[in-house]
Amino acid sequence: MPELPEVETIVRGLSPVKGAMIDELEVLDQRLALPVYKIVGKTIEGIERRGKYILFRLSGGGDLIVHLRMSGRLTLTRSPAEEKHTRFVLHLDRGKVYFINPRRLGTVEYSQNGFPHEIGIDPFDLKFTPQRLEDIVTPSRAPIKPLLMDQRKIAGLGNIYAAEALWRAGIDPRRGGETLTHKEIQALHPAIVGILKEAIDNMGTTFGETVSDYRNVYGDYGEFQDLLAVYGREKEPCPRCGESIVRIVQSGRSTFFCPGCQR
């Protein structure tokens, strides 16, 4: 699933269409119940990220809101293999935007009255301080990794980068939030922010080459997969201590960590 770095990479890549007018909204998946008449003729005044959501801010008020889910992508180009997986096309007065969604799990909605979802604080929000992180995690007995992935608490942080941040901070993902010390929170906060920034600098993480795998708006693969320390590296040596990385399942998701140096 695209997480914050992949979504942010796509949002930045869509910057060329800012200021463009929507001449036509071609809906190719009839499960997308969109009020076309409220969207066509509007100008894209801005493109923003809210957690894992992408917002097209339209002139006169109203937002077109996309959540990519497992395999969705917004692109400025489209390959022949992607045509059958295209769910809508924004025809602009300069270019097009394609919503590629092979598994059909991504969502698209229109909101006239602002962002309609309740999500947690963004890791890049200036209010996301070490103290704010401590206030979020330490009252809870839940394991720290699923806790970090709770979008109602921290928006945008997902499976890959939660695992990597916990490795950087040397924290066992199975520990309850209430067991983390002030010193550990002080290490975890910059680990979270740092891993997300580095992933954005490397255009996100791509694990495969199928039509369902993440790419940026021009069809280029991310490069951060080459820099991952633990995620997807079961049985490989930990780059810090040499112990074999293990995989467990938490809340139905794979968790990778080093039992040697994550305590």
Side-chain angles (χ1 to χ4, degrees):
M1 174 186 292
E3 300 180 24
L4 187 155
E6 291 75 38
V7 175
E8 181 67 23
T9 299
I10 289 173
V11 167
R12 294 182 184 186
L14 290 171
S15 60
V17 305
K18 181 179 178 181
M21 178 177 289
I22 301 172
D23 290 332
E24 179 187 353
L25 171 55
E26 182 182 4
V27 179
L28 301 170
D29 185 343
Q30 297 309 311
R31 292 188 298 182
L32 302 180
L34 295 171
V36 175
Y37 69 98
K38 292 185 178 181
I39 298 170
V40 172
K42 297 289 187 68
T43 297
I44 299 173
E45 294 189 335
I47 304 169
E48 301 176 6
R49 179 186 58 78
R50 299 281 180 89
K52 298 180 185 179
Y53 291 88
I54 297 172
L55 280 67
F56 290 85
R57 312 306 303 268
L58 305 180
S59 59
D63 300 318
L64 185 64
I65 304 171
V66 180
H67 197 304
L68 302 175
R69 303 292 177 186
M70 290 295 293
S71 63
R73 288 186 289 115
L74 288 169
T75 71
L76 299 177
T77 63
R78 181 177 63 173
S79 70
E82 293 169 330
E83 288 187 20
K84 67 178 181 180
H85 301 296
T86 304
R87 307 306 173 191
F88 78 67
V89 183
L90 285 177
H91 296 264
L92 310 174
D93 61 359
R94 56 172 188 267
K96 299 177 182 179
V97 176
Y98 304 93
F99 180 43
I100 313 296
N101 190 20
R103 299 187 189 180
R104 303 180 79 180
L105 297 174
T107 61
V108 186
E109 60 189 313
Y110 174 82
S111 175
Q112 186 67 48
N113 301 306
F115 187 66
H117 303 285
E118 293 186 9
I119 58 175
I121 190 168
D122 193 283
F124 292 149
D125 191 317
L126 293 178
K127 295 180 181 178
F128 182 67
T129 61
Q131 183 59 54
R132 181 68 175 270
L133 178 61
E134 189 167 341
D135 292 341
I136 290 171
V137 304
T138 55
S140 176
R141 296 181 179 180
I144 182 61
K145 180 168 169 282
L147 189 58
L148 292 177
M149 293 170 56
D150 186 341
Q151 299 302 297
R152 298 166 298 179
K153 300 182 183 298
I154 302 174
L157 191 59
N159 200 29
I160 298 170
Y161 303 109
E164 291 292 309
L166 288 167
W167 178 81
R168 287 194 177 190
I171 297 170
D172 189 316
R174 299 169 294 185
R175 287 177 54 189
E178 64 176 356
T179 71
L180 269 64
T181 66
H182 178 74
K183 183 178 180 180
E184 288 173 323
I185 295 291
Q186 292 291 318
L188 180 58
H189 179 272
I192 291 171
V193 176
I195 199 75
L196 294 173
K197 286 183 177 179
E198 289 175 32
I200 292 170
D201 289 342
N202 287 274
M203 299 188 300
T205 300
T206 304
F207 288 115
E209 298 182 357
T210 73
V211 71
S212 296
D213 292 300
Y214 161 76
R215 303 176 194 179
N216 69 12
V217 298
Y218 297 107
D220 300 319
Y221 299 117
E223 299 177 353
F224 196 68
Q225 61 274 9
D226 298 328
L227 302 176
L228 295 171
V230 291
Y231 189 87
R233 302 197 182 280
E234 183 181 10
K235 298 181 180 179
E236 294 183 24
C238 170
R240 183 164 54 208
C241 74
E243 184 91 8
S244 291
I245 294 165
V246 300
R247 172 188 172 274
I248 61 173
V249 177
Q250 293 181 297
S251 302
R253 306 293 300 277
S254 292
T255 291
F256 298 89
F257 72 103
C258 173
C261 60
Q262 287 181 252
R263 305 289 184 173

